[in-house]
Amino acid sequence: MTDIHTYKNYYFIGIGGIGMSALARYFKFSNSNVYGYDKTSTKLTHSLENENIPILYEDSISLLPKDISAGNTLIIYTPAIPKDLKIKNYFIEKNFTLLKRSQVLGEITRSTLCLAIAGTHGKTTTSTLLGHICKYANLPSTAFLGGISANYNSNFIYNGAEISIVEADEFDRSFLALSPNMATITSTDSDHLDIYGNKENIIDSYNKFAALIPEDGFLVVKKGLPIRAKHLTYSAQEKADYYAENIQIVNGSFKFDLITPKQTIKDFKLPIPGKHNVENAIAALAIGLKLGIEPDILRKALAEFKGVLRRFNQHIFENDTIYIDDYAHHPTEINAVIDTIRNMYPSKKLLTVFQPHLYSRTKDFAEDFANSLSKTDQLILLDIYPAREIPIEGVTSEWLAEKIELDNKEISSIDNVLNTIKTKDFDVLLTIGAGNIDTLHDPIINWLNEIKI
Protein backbone atom coordinates (compact mmCIF):
# COMPACT_ATOMS: atom_id res chain seq x y z
CA MET A 1 0.00 0.00 0.00
CA THR A 2 1.21 3.51 -0.85
CA ASP A 3 2.00 5.59 2.23
CA ILE A 4 -1.26 7.42 2.93
CA HIS A 5 0.65 10.61 3.77
CA THR A 6 2.19 10.97 0.28
CA TYR A 7 -0.96 11.97 -1.62
CA LYS A 8 -1.53 15.56 -2.72
CA ASN A 9 -5.31 15.41 -2.33
CA TYR A 10 -7.77 13.63 -0.03
CA TYR A 11 -11.42 13.25 -0.96
CA PHE A 12 -13.87 12.21 1.78
CA ILE A 13 -17.18 10.58 0.87
CA GLY A 14 -19.43 11.19 3.87
CA ILE A 15 -17.20 13.96 5.23
CA GLY A 16 -19.89 15.17 7.64
CA GLY A 17 -19.55 12.09 9.85
CA ILE A 18 -17.94 12.76 13.20
CA GLY A 19 -15.08 10.31 12.61
CA MET A 20 -14.59 11.30 8.98
CA SER A 21 -14.39 15.00 9.76
CA ALA A 22 -11.64 14.42 12.34
CA LEU A 23 -9.55 12.67 9.67
CA ALA A 24 -10.31 15.45 7.19
CA ARG A 25 -8.98 17.97 9.71
CA TYR A 26 -5.88 15.81 10.20
CA PHE A 27 -4.95 15.90 6.51
CA LYS A 28 -5.87 19.58 6.19
CA PHE A 29 -3.59 20.30 9.17
CA SER A 30 -0.85 18.48 7.22
CA ASN A 31 -1.17 21.13 4.46
CA SER A 32 -2.82 18.78 1.97
CA ASN A 33 -5.81 19.59 -0.24
CA VAL A 34 -8.96 18.18 1.31
CA TYR A 35 -12.36 17.90 -0.39
CA GLY A 36 -15.56 16.12 0.50
CA TYR A 37 -19.09 15.04 -0.29
CA ASP A 38 -22.05 14.67 2.03
CA LYS A 39 -25.75 14.51 1.31
CA THR A 40 -26.67 16.91 4.12
CA SER A 41 -25.40 20.30 5.22
CA THR A 42 -24.89 20.45 9.00
CA LYS A 43 -23.14 22.54 11.65
CA LEU A 44 -20.15 20.24 11.31
CA THR A 45 -19.91 20.57 7.53
CA HIS A 46 -20.24 24.35 7.87
CA SER A 47 -17.30 24.30 10.29
CA LEU A 48 -15.23 22.31 7.78
CA GLU A 49 -16.12 24.75 5.01
CA ASN A 50 -15.01 27.61 7.25
CA GLU A 51 -11.67 25.76 7.54
CA ASN A 52 -11.33 25.97 3.71
CA ILE A 53 -12.49 22.43 2.96
CA PRO A 54 -14.83 22.54 -0.07
CA ILE A 55 -17.86 20.24 0.31
CA LEU A 56 -20.22 19.00 -2.38
CA TYR A 57 -23.84 18.26 -1.45
CA GLU A 58 -24.94 16.96 -4.85
CA ASP A 59 -24.06 13.49 -6.14
CA SER A 60 -22.73 14.84 -9.42
CA ILE A 61 -19.51 13.76 -11.15
CA SER A 62 -19.35 17.00 -13.14
CA LEU A 63 -18.96 19.00 -9.92
CA LEU A 64 -15.88 17.11 -8.71
CA PRO A 65 -12.62 19.10 -8.39
CA LYS A 66 -10.77 19.27 -11.69
CA ASP A 67 -7.29 18.76 -10.24
CA ILE A 68 -7.85 15.31 -8.73
CA SER A 69 -6.66 12.12 -10.41
CA ALA A 70 -6.09 8.49 -9.50
CA GLY A 71 -2.39 9.19 -9.07
CA ASN A 72 -2.59 12.16 -6.72
CA THR A 73 -5.76 11.60 -4.70
CA LEU A 74 -6.76 9.16 -1.97
CA ILE A 75 -10.49 8.51 -1.58
CA ILE A 76 -11.67 7.88 1.99
CA TYR A 77 -15.21 6.66 2.59
CA THR A 78 -17.54 5.49 5.32
CA PRO A 79 -19.44 2.18 5.03
CA ALA A 80 -22.64 4.11 5.80
CA ILE A 81 -22.85 5.59 2.29
CA PRO A 82 -25.26 4.00 -0.23
CA LYS A 83 -23.88 1.54 -2.76
CA ASP A 84 -25.40 3.38 -5.74
CA LEU A 85 -23.60 6.67 -5.06
CA LYS A 86 -22.40 7.98 -8.43
CA ILE A 87 -19.30 9.68 -7.06
CA LYS A 88 -18.01 6.56 -5.36
CA ASN A 89 -18.68 4.38 -8.40
CA TYR A 90 -16.89 6.93 -10.61
CA PHE A 91 -13.79 6.75 -8.41
CA ILE A 92 -13.87 2.94 -8.60
CA GLU A 93 -14.20 3.00 -12.41
CA LYS A 94 -11.29 5.44 -12.76
CA ASN A 95 -9.02 3.28 -10.55
CA PHE A 96 -8.65 5.68 -7.66
CA THR A 97 -7.43 4.13 -4.41
CA LEU A 98 -10.38 3.89 -2.01
CA LEU A 99 -9.94 3.16 1.69
CA LYS A 100 -12.44 2.92 4.53
CA ARG A 101 -12.06 5.43 7.35
CA SER A 102 -11.01 2.58 9.65
CA GLN A 103 -8.23 1.53 7.27
CA VAL A 104 -6.81 5.06 7.16
CA LEU A 105 -6.99 5.38 10.93
CA GLY A 106 -5.33 1.98 11.17
CA GLU A 107 -2.43 3.17 9.03
CA ILE A 108 -1.98 6.24 11.23
CA THR A 109 -1.94 4.13 14.40
CA ARG A 110 0.69 1.80 12.94
CA SER A 111 3.28 4.56 12.86
CA THR A 112 2.44 6.09 16.27
CA LEU A 113 2.10 5.09 19.91
CA CYS A 114 -1.61 4.33 19.77
CA LEU A 115 -3.95 4.85 22.74
CA ALA A 116 -7.29 3.27 21.81
CA ILE A 117 -10.58 3.59 23.70
CA ALA A 118 -13.14 0.87 22.98
CA GLY A 119 -16.59 0.19 24.38
CA THR A 120 -20.29 0.36 23.56
CA HIS A 121 -20.63 3.36 25.90
CA GLY A 122 -18.19 5.86 27.32
CA LYS A 123 -15.54 5.84 24.63
CA THR A 124 -16.16 9.38 23.38
CA THR A 125 -15.93 11.01 26.81
CA THR A 126 -12.96 8.83 27.82
CA SER A 127 -11.00 9.46 24.61
CA THR A 128 -11.80 13.19 24.72
CA LEU A 129 -10.57 13.40 28.31
CA LEU A 130 -7.43 11.43 27.42
CA GLY A 131 -6.79 13.75 24.46
CA HIS A 132 -7.22 16.73 26.78
CA ILE A 133 -4.86 15.23 29.37
CA CYS A 134 -2.16 14.56 26.78
CA LYS A 135 -2.51 18.07 25.35
CA TYR A 136 -2.40 19.56 28.86
CA ALA A 137 0.73 17.54 29.63
CA ASN A 138 2.24 18.79 26.35
CA LEU A 139 2.76 15.30 24.97
CA PRO A 140 3.26 15.07 21.16
CA SER A 141 -0.22 13.67 20.54
CA THR A 142 -3.08 13.79 18.05
CA ALA A 143 -6.61 12.89 19.17
CA PHE A 144 -9.27 11.70 16.71
CA LEU A 145 -12.58 12.01 18.55
CA GLY A 146 -16.15 10.85 18.06
CA GLY A 147 -17.57 14.04 19.55
CA ILE A 148 -16.85 17.74 19.81
CA SER A 149 -14.60 18.57 22.76
CA ALA A 150 -16.01 21.50 24.71
CA ASN A 151 -12.46 22.54 25.64
CA TYR A 152 -11.27 22.80 22.03
CA ASN A 153 -14.57 23.09 20.11
CA SER A 154 -13.34 20.37 17.77
CA ASN A 155 -13.18 16.62 17.32
CA PHE A 156 -9.49 16.93 16.52
CA ILE A 157 -6.82 17.86 19.08
CA TYR A 158 -3.30 18.29 17.70
CA ASN A 159 -0.10 18.70 19.70
CA GLY A 160 2.30 16.48 17.74
CA ALA A 161 2.38 13.25 15.75
CA GLU A 162 4.14 10.68 17.94
CA ILE A 163 1.04 9.57 19.89
CA SER A 164 -2.41 8.87 18.43
CA ILE A 165 -5.55 8.81 20.59
CA VAL A 166 -8.46 7.11 18.85
CA GLU A 167 -11.93 5.84 19.48
CA ALA A 168 -11.88 2.14 18.72
CA ASP A 169 -15.23 1.84 16.97
CA GLU A 170 -16.88 -1.60 17.14
CA PHE A 171 -19.28 -0.84 14.26
CA ASP A 172 -18.40 -2.95 11.22
CA ARG A 173 -15.55 -4.38 13.38
CA SER A 174 -13.56 -1.26 12.46
CA PHE A 175 -11.46 -1.39 15.63
CA LEU A 176 -9.75 -4.57 14.42
CA ALA A 177 -7.89 -2.43 11.83
CA LEU A 178 -6.07 -0.50 14.58
CA SER A 179 -2.63 -1.12 16.08
CA PRO A 180 -3.16 -0.20 19.74
CA ASN A 181 -0.26 -0.06 22.20
CA MET A 182 -2.42 0.94 25.16
CA ALA A 183 -6.18 0.54 25.38
CA THR A 184 -9.29 0.71 27.51
CA ILE A 185 -12.51 -1.29 27.14
CA THR A 186 -15.34 0.56 28.87
CA SER A 187 -18.25 -1.77 28.13
CA THR A 188 -19.29 -4.72 25.97
CA ASP A 189 -23.06 -4.24 25.96
CA SER A 190 -24.95 -5.47 22.93
CA ASP A 191 -25.30 -3.04 20.03
CA HIS A 192 -25.06 -3.14 16.23
CA LEU A 193 -26.80 -6.51 16.16
CA ASP A 194 -27.41 -5.88 12.45
CA ILE A 195 -23.64 -6.42 12.12
CA TYR A 196 -22.94 -8.96 14.88
CA GLY A 197 -26.13 -11.01 15.08
CA ASN A 198 -25.81 -11.85 18.77
CA LYS A 199 -24.09 -10.98 22.04
CA GLU A 200 -21.54 -13.79 21.72
CA ASN A 201 -20.18 -12.35 18.47
CA ILE A 202 -19.82 -8.94 20.10
CA ILE A 203 -17.82 -10.40 22.98
CA ASP A 204 -15.67 -12.34 20.52
CA SER A 205 -14.92 -9.15 18.59
CA TYR A 206 -13.89 -7.28 21.76
CA ASN A 207 -11.60 -10.16 22.67
CA LYS A 208 -10.02 -10.00 19.22
CA PHE A 209 -9.46 -6.29 19.79
CA ALA A 210 -7.89 -6.96 23.20
CA ALA A 211 -5.57 -9.51 21.60
CA LEU A 212 -4.10 -6.74 19.43
CA ILE A 213 -2.38 -5.21 22.47
CA PRO A 214 1.30 -6.28 22.41
CA GLU A 215 2.89 -8.14 25.30
CA ASP A 216 4.61 -4.97 26.50
CA GLY A 217 1.43 -2.91 26.07
CA PHE A 218 -1.19 -1.82 28.59
CA LEU A 219 -4.85 -2.81 28.76
CA VAL A 220 -7.26 -1.59 31.42
CA VAL A 221 -10.81 -2.96 31.39
CA LYS A 222 -13.92 -2.08 33.36
CA LYS A 223 -14.17 -4.67 36.10
CA GLY A 224 -16.45 -7.58 35.30
CA LEU A 225 -16.18 -7.56 31.51
CA PRO A 226 -15.47 -10.93 29.83
CA ILE A 227 -12.07 -10.07 28.37
CA ARG A 228 -9.58 -12.94 28.20
CA ALA A 229 -6.37 -11.03 27.41
CA LYS A 230 -4.05 -9.99 30.23
CA HIS A 231 -5.37 -6.76 31.68
CA LEU A 232 -5.87 -4.57 34.74
CA THR A 233 -9.32 -3.51 35.92
CA TYR A 234 -10.98 -0.23 36.90
CA SER A 235 -14.23 0.78 38.56
CA ALA A 236 -16.04 3.59 40.35
CA GLN A 237 -18.42 1.16 42.05
CA GLU A 238 -16.08 -1.37 43.68
CA LYS A 239 -12.45 -2.15 44.39
CA ALA A 240 -10.33 -2.89 41.33
CA ASP A 241 -6.75 -2.30 40.19
CA TYR A 242 -7.75 1.34 39.65
CA TYR A 243 -10.76 2.63 41.55
CA ALA A 244 -12.27 5.72 43.17
CA GLU A 245 -12.65 6.18 46.89
CA ASN A 246 -14.30 8.94 48.96
CA ILE A 247 -16.54 10.03 46.07
CA GLN A 248 -18.37 13.23 46.96
CA ILE A 249 -20.40 15.85 45.10
CA VAL A 250 -19.19 19.34 46.01
CA ASN A 251 -20.73 22.39 44.28
CA GLY A 252 -21.87 20.25 41.36
CA SER A 253 -18.48 18.57 40.80
CA PHE A 254 -17.32 15.10 41.77
CA LYS A 255 -14.37 14.85 44.15
CA PHE A 256 -12.58 11.55 44.68
CA ASP A 257 -9.31 9.85 45.52
CA LEU A 258 -7.76 7.49 42.99
CA ILE A 259 -6.42 4.16 44.23
CA THR A 260 -3.90 2.51 41.89
CA PRO A 261 -1.77 -0.64 42.18
CA LYS A 262 1.16 1.53 43.28
CA GLN A 263 -0.23 4.57 45.10
CA THR A 264 -3.18 6.60 46.34
CA ILE A 265 -3.63 9.98 44.64
CA LYS A 266 -5.94 12.30 46.52
CA ASP A 267 -8.23 15.18 45.61
CA PHE A 268 -9.27 14.73 42.01
CA LYS A 269 -12.07 17.02 40.84
CA LEU A 270 -14.33 16.18 37.87
CA PRO A 271 -16.59 19.11 36.89
CA ILE A 272 -19.07 17.15 34.72
CA PRO A 273 -22.09 15.27 36.10
CA GLY A 274 -22.80 11.55 36.19
CA LYS A 275 -21.12 8.85 38.26
CA HIS A 276 -20.47 6.94 35.04
CA ASN A 277 -18.15 9.82 34.11
CA VAL A 278 -16.10 9.19 37.26
CA GLU A 279 -15.55 5.72 35.81
CA ASN A 280 -14.59 7.18 32.42
CA ALA A 281 -12.15 9.49 34.19
CA ILE A 282 -10.50 6.60 36.04
CA ALA A 283 -9.88 4.81 32.74
CA ALA A 284 -8.28 7.90 31.19
CA LEU A 285 -6.22 8.61 34.32
CA ALA A 286 -4.91 5.03 34.35
CA ILE A 287 -3.48 5.48 30.85
CA GLY A 288 -2.19 8.94 31.77
CA LEU A 289 -0.26 7.46 34.69
CA LYS A 290 1.09 4.68 32.47
CA LEU A 291 2.36 7.38 30.09
CA GLY A 292 4.30 8.85 32.99
CA ILE A 293 2.22 12.00 33.50
CA GLU A 294 2.68 13.42 36.98
CA PRO A 295 -0.35 13.24 39.33
CA ASP A 296 -0.43 17.01 39.79
CA ILE A 297 -0.73 17.53 36.01
CA LEU A 298 -3.52 14.93 35.91
CA ARG A 299 -5.37 16.74 38.73
CA LYS A 300 -5.17 20.09 36.96
CA ALA A 301 -6.18 18.65 33.58
CA LEU A 302 -9.20 16.84 35.03
CA ALA A 303 -10.35 19.95 36.93
CA GLU A 304 -10.36 21.92 33.66
CA PHE A 305 -12.17 19.27 31.59
CA LYS A 306 -15.40 20.67 30.13
CA GLY A 307 -16.73 17.46 28.62
CA VAL A 308 -18.10 16.72 25.15
CA LEU A 309 -20.87 18.53 23.31
CA ARG A 310 -24.13 16.58 23.36
CA ARG A 311 -22.98 14.61 26.43
CA PHE A 312 -25.19 15.96 29.19
CA ASN A 313 -24.92 19.57 27.99
CA GLN A 314 -26.89 21.52 30.55
CA HIS A 315 -28.41 25.00 30.29
CA ILE A 316 -30.19 26.75 33.19
CA PHE A 317 -32.43 29.71 32.39
CA GLU A 318 -33.66 32.76 34.34
CA ASN A 319 -36.99 31.13 35.16
CA ASP A 320 -35.10 28.09 36.57
CA THR A 321 -36.07 25.89 33.63
CA ILE A 322 -33.32 23.40 32.81
CA TYR A 323 -32.52 22.08 29.33
CA ILE A 324 -30.22 19.08 28.86
CA ASP A 325 -29.12 17.71 25.49
CA ASP A 326 -27.46 14.29 25.20
CA TYR A 327 -26.36 11.86 22.50
CA ALA A 328 -27.85 8.84 24.33
CA HIS A 329 -29.26 6.40 21.78
CA HIS A 330 -28.94 3.03 23.56
CA PRO A 331 -31.03 1.92 26.57
CA THR A 332 -28.00 1.77 28.87
CA GLU A 333 -27.09 5.35 27.94
CA ILE A 334 -30.67 6.55 28.43
CA ASN A 335 -30.72 4.94 31.87
CA ALA A 336 -27.49 6.75 32.78
CA VAL A 337 -28.69 10.19 31.72
CA ILE A 338 -32.15 9.90 33.31
CA ASP A 339 -30.69 8.48 36.53
CA THR A 340 -28.24 11.40 36.66
CA ILE A 341 -31.08 13.90 36.25
CA ARG A 342 -33.13 12.17 38.97
CA ASN A 343 -30.14 12.34 41.33
CA MET A 344 -29.51 16.01 40.58
CA TYR A 345 -33.13 17.17 40.48
CA PRO A 346 -35.22 14.59 42.35
CA SER A 347 -38.37 16.74 42.68
CA LYS A 348 -38.47 18.30 39.21
CA LYS A 349 -40.84 17.30 36.39
CA LEU A 350 -38.94 15.76 33.49
CA LEU A 351 -40.03 16.00 29.85
CA THR A 352 -37.99 13.76 27.52
CA VAL A 353 -37.86 14.04 23.74
CA PHE A 354 -36.30 10.94 22.18
CA GLN A 355 -35.44 10.22 18.56
CA PRO A 356 -34.84 6.49 18.02
CA HIS A 357 -31.77 5.85 15.83
CA LEU A 358 -31.91 2.97 13.32
CA TYR A 359 -34.80 0.57 12.73
CA SER A 360 -32.61 -2.41 13.61
CA ARG A 361 -31.53 -0.97 16.98
CA THR A 362 -35.13 -0.02 17.82
CA LYS A 363 -36.29 -3.55 16.99
CA ASP A 364 -33.45 -5.33 18.81
CA PHE A 365 -33.78 -3.33 22.05
CA ALA A 366 -37.47 -2.40 22.03
CA GLU A 367 -38.22 -3.79 25.50
CA ASP A 368 -35.12 -2.17 26.99
CA PHE A 369 -35.98 1.17 25.36
CA ALA A 370 -39.49 0.90 26.78
CA ASN A 371 -38.16 0.29 30.29
CA SER A 372 -35.67 3.17 30.05
CA LEU A 373 -38.15 5.69 28.68
CA SER A 374 -40.76 4.74 31.27
CA LYS A 375 -38.55 6.47 33.84
CA THR A 376 -39.42 9.94 32.57
CA ASP A 377 -42.56 11.92 33.57
CA GLN A 378 -43.56 12.92 30.03
CA LEU A 379 -42.32 11.60 26.70
CA ILE A 380 -42.40 12.89 23.14
CA LEU A 381 -41.22 10.19 20.76
CA LEU A 382 -39.94 11.30 17.36
CA ASP A 383 -40.02 9.25 14.19
CA ILE A 384 -37.17 6.73 13.84
CA TYR A 385 -34.06 8.24 12.25
CA PRO A 386 -33.06 5.75 9.52
CA ALA A 387 -29.41 6.76 8.98
CA ARG A 388 -28.03 4.06 6.66
CA GLU A 389 -31.09 1.75 6.86
CA ILE A 390 -34.32 1.14 5.02
CA PRO A 391 -37.50 0.71 7.11
CA ILE A 392 -38.29 -2.62 8.77
CA GLU A 393 -41.95 -3.55 8.43
CA GLY A 394 -43.83 -3.04 11.69
CA VAL A 395 -40.96 -1.22 13.45
CA THR A 396 -42.21 2.32 14.04
CA SER A 397 -42.30 4.86 16.83
CA GLU A 398 -45.99 4.03 17.29
CA TRP A 399 -45.04 0.38 17.82
CA LEU A 400 -42.38 1.34 20.35
CA ALA A 401 -44.72 3.76 22.15
CA GLU A 402 -47.21 0.97 22.84
CA LYS A 403 -44.56 -0.82 24.90
CA ILE A 404 -43.76 2.20 27.09
CA GLU A 405 -45.62 2.19 30.40
CA LEU A 406 -46.26 5.89 30.66
CA ASP A 407 -49.51 7.86 30.60
CA ASN A 408 -48.05 11.12 29.31
CA LYS A 409 -46.59 10.09 25.97
CA GLU A 410 -47.12 11.11 22.37
CA ILE A 411 -45.49 10.96 18.96
CA SER A 412 -44.37 13.95 16.91
CA SER A 413 -42.46 14.74 13.75
CA ILE A 414 -39.22 16.61 14.23
CA ASP A 415 -40.66 19.54 12.25
CA ASN A 416 -43.52 20.02 14.70
CA VAL A 417 -41.95 18.95 17.98
CA LEU A 418 -40.90 22.41 19.17
CA ASN A 419 -44.53 23.54 19.00
CA THR A 420 -45.49 20.45 20.99
CA ILE A 421 -42.80 21.12 23.60
CA LYS A 422 -44.13 24.66 24.08
CA THR A 423 -47.48 23.25 25.23
CA LYS A 424 -45.95 21.12 28.01
CA ASP A 425 -45.51 21.81 31.72
CA PHE A 426 -42.01 20.77 32.79
CA ASP A 427 -39.04 21.79 34.94
CA VAL A 428 -36.38 19.84 33.03
CA LEU A 429 -36.37 19.27 29.27
CA LEU A 430 -34.18 16.44 27.96
CA THR A 431 -33.50 15.84 24.27
CA ILE A 432 -31.75 12.56 23.43
CA GLY A 433 -30.79 10.70 20.27
CA ALA A 434 -28.05 10.27 17.66
CA GLY A 435 -29.87 11.41 14.52
CA ASN A 436 -30.74 14.97 13.54
CA ILE A 437 -32.40 15.81 16.87
CA ASP A 438 -29.39 18.06 17.48
CA THR A 439 -31.01 20.57 15.10
CA LEU A 440 -33.49 21.34 17.89
CA HIS A 441 -30.77 22.60 20.24
CA ASP A 442 -30.51 26.22 19.08
CA PRO A 443 -34.27 26.77 18.56
CA ILE A 444 -34.96 25.40 22.06
CA ILE A 445 -32.26 27.65 23.57
CA ASN A 446 -33.68 30.68 21.74
CA TRP A 447 -37.23 29.92 22.92
CA LEU A 448 -36.25 29.33 26.55
CA ASN A 449 -34.21 32.54 26.57
CA GLU A 450 -37.32 34.46 25.51
CA ILE A 451 -39.47 33.14 28.36
CA LYS A 452 -39.72 35.60 31.23
CA ILE A 453 -39.87 34.69 34.90
Side-chain angles (χ1 to χ4, degrees):
M1 180 187 294
T2 304
D3 183 346
I4 60 168
H5 296 94
T6 60
Y7 289 91
K8 177 184 177 182
N9 309 306
Y10 298 85
Y11 197 100
F12 288 78
I13 307 177
I15 195 169
I18 194 71
M20 291 282 279
S21 57
L23 275 178
R25 285 171 160 146
Y26 169 77
F27 286 110
K28 185 67 177 178
F29 201 87
S30 304
N31 295 318
S32 300
N33 298 320
V34 178
Y35 308 94
Y37 162 84
D38 210 284
K39 68 176 182 179
T40 307
S41 174
T42 64
K43 278 186 180 180
L44 188 47
T45 60
H46 290 161
S47 295
L48 295 175
E49 288 175 303
N50 289 335
E51 295 165 26
N52 296 317
I53 297 177
I55 298 177
L56 182 64
Y57 298 101
E58 183 181 341
D59 184 18
S60 173
I61 296 166
S62 64
L63 297 177
L64 290 172
K66 303 303 180 187
D67 62 337
I68 64 173
S69 67
N72 68 12
T73 305
L74 177 65
I75 311 301
I76 302 167
Y77 71 99
T78 167
I81 63 171
K83 293 180 180 178
D84 60 352
L85 196 73
K86 296 175 186 175
I87 290 173
K88 181 185 177 185
N89 290 331
Y90 167 80
F91 287 136
I92 294 172
E93 291 167 8
K94 297 299 181 181
N95 295 316
F96 282 75
T97 299
L98 284 81
L99 294 178
K100 289 182 182 179
R101 180 191 68 89
S102 58
Q103 292 174 296
V104 175
L105 201 55
E107 287 299 308
I108 292 170
T109 64
R110 250 181 282 285
S111 59
T112 58
L113 177 71
C114 174
L115 319 178
I117 311 299
T120 315
H121 326 291
K123 60 179 174 286
T124 298
T125 299
T126 306
S127 57
T128 302
L129 174 53
L130 185 56
H132 168 66
I133 287 171
C134 289
K135 170 82 170 177
Y136 196 95
N138 200 29
L139 296 184
S141 58
T142 302
F144 301 88
L145 307 174
I148 304 297
S149 164
N151 288 82
Y152 306 96
N153 196 33
S154 180
N155 56 347
F156 177 70
I157 306 172
Y158 183 82
N159 197 53
E162 295 177 25
I163 300 170
S164 60
I165 300 152
V166 301
E167 287 195 32
D169 188 3
E170 75 276 7
F171 172 70
D172 199 31
R173 296 179 172 83
S174 294
F175 58 0
L176 299 184
L178 301 175
S179 296
N181 302 95
M182 301 185 188
T184 286
I185 299 177
T186 63
S187 61
T188 56
D189 285 355
S190 294
D191 198 6
H192 303 301
L193 293 181
D194 54 323
I195 301 292
Y196 287 101
N198 57 48
K199 172 79 171 181
E200 289 71 26
N201 289 335
I202 293 171
I203 299 299
D204 178 66
S205 195
Y206 275 103
N207 274 298
K208 287 178 179 176
F209 168 76
L212 297 174
I213 312 297
E215 187 65 29
D216 61 349
F218 179 72
L219 176 62
V220 60
V221 176
K222 183 177 175 180
K223 189 171 183 178
L225 298 186
I227 300 302
R228 295 188 296 271
K230 182 181 73 173
H231 65 272
L232 297 175
T233 61
Y234 73 94
S235 178
Q237 314 292 337
E238 57 184 318
K239 290 187 176 182
D241 294 307
Y242 296 84
Y243 67 99
E245 204 171 61
N246 300 324
I247 300 175
Q248 306 170 58
I249 299 176
V250 180
N251 297 325
S253 296
F254 281 99
K255 290 191 71 177
F256 63 93
D257 300 332
L258 179 64
I259 315 299
T260 82
K262 295 182 178 180
Q263 60 187 319
T264 295
I265 309 172
K266 292 184 174 295
D267 299 327
F268 279 102
K269 177 184 175 184
L270 176 66
I272 60 173
K275 196 168 183 179
H276 58 288
N277 281 320
V278 175
E279 210 151 52
N280 293 333
I282 294 168
L285 292 170
I287 292 181
L289 287 167
K290 187 65 177 177
L291 288 168
I293 301 173
E294 292 296 324
D296 194 48
I297 297 293
L298 294 174
R299 276 196 207 92
K300 291 176 181 177
L302 188 63
E304 294 184 17
F305 183 56
K306 298 177 182 178
V308 184
L309 299 189
R310 298 217 67 228
R311 267 62 172 187
F312 210 92
N313 291 137
Q314 180 175 221
H315 310 269
I316 301 176
F317 297 85
E318 288 185 8
N319 65 348
D320 292 329
T321 298
I322 298 161
Y323 171 43
I324 297 167
D325 182 44
D326 197 275
Y327 191 69
H329 57 283
H330 184 281
T332 302
E333 297 163 350
I334 295 172
N335 284 333
V337 71
I338 292 180
D339 288 349
T340 299
I341 292 171
R342 292 305 195 195
N343 288 330
M344 294 174 69
Y345 307 111
S347 62
K348 293 187 181 294
K349 291 177 289 186
L350 173 62
L351 168 62
T352 298
V353 182
F354 174 54
Q355 182 184 51
H357 185 261
L358 298 177
Y359 294 99
S360 59
R361 183 182 284 124
T362 305
K363 175 177 176 288
D364 291 334
F365 302 107
E367 299 300 331
D368 293 328
F369 276 123
N371 291 334
S372 299
L373 294 168
S374 296
K375 294 181 177 183
T376 188
D377 298 313
Q378 303 176 73
L379 175 67
I380 302 174
L381 200 57
L382 300 183
D383 296 328
I384 297 171
Y385 187 80
R388 60 186 179 270
E389 293 185 338
I390 59 173
I392 297 174
E393 185 177 355
V395 179
T396 64
S397 291
E398 289 80 4
W399 171 77
L400 177 59
E402 290 177 2
K403 299 176 180 293
I404 300 169
E405 296 182 3
L406 196 66
D407 292 331
N408 296 317
K409 60 185 178 183
E410 61 184 281
I411 294 164
S412 173
S413 68
I414 194 166
D415 294 331
N416 194 53
V417 70
L418 184 55
N419 291 328
T420 304
I421 292 170
K422 290 178 180 180
T423 68
K424 302 298 182 183
D425 178 27
F426 61 88
D427 302 310
V428 181
L429 170 62
L430 170 65
T431 53
I432 46 177
N436 62 347
I437 192 172
D438 63 318
T439 59
L440 297 176
H441 179 272
D442 290 354
I444 288 173
I445 294 289
N446 293 337
W447 168 60
L448 289 174
N449 274 323
E450 293 170 0
I451 297 176
K452 305 301 180 184
I453 297 175

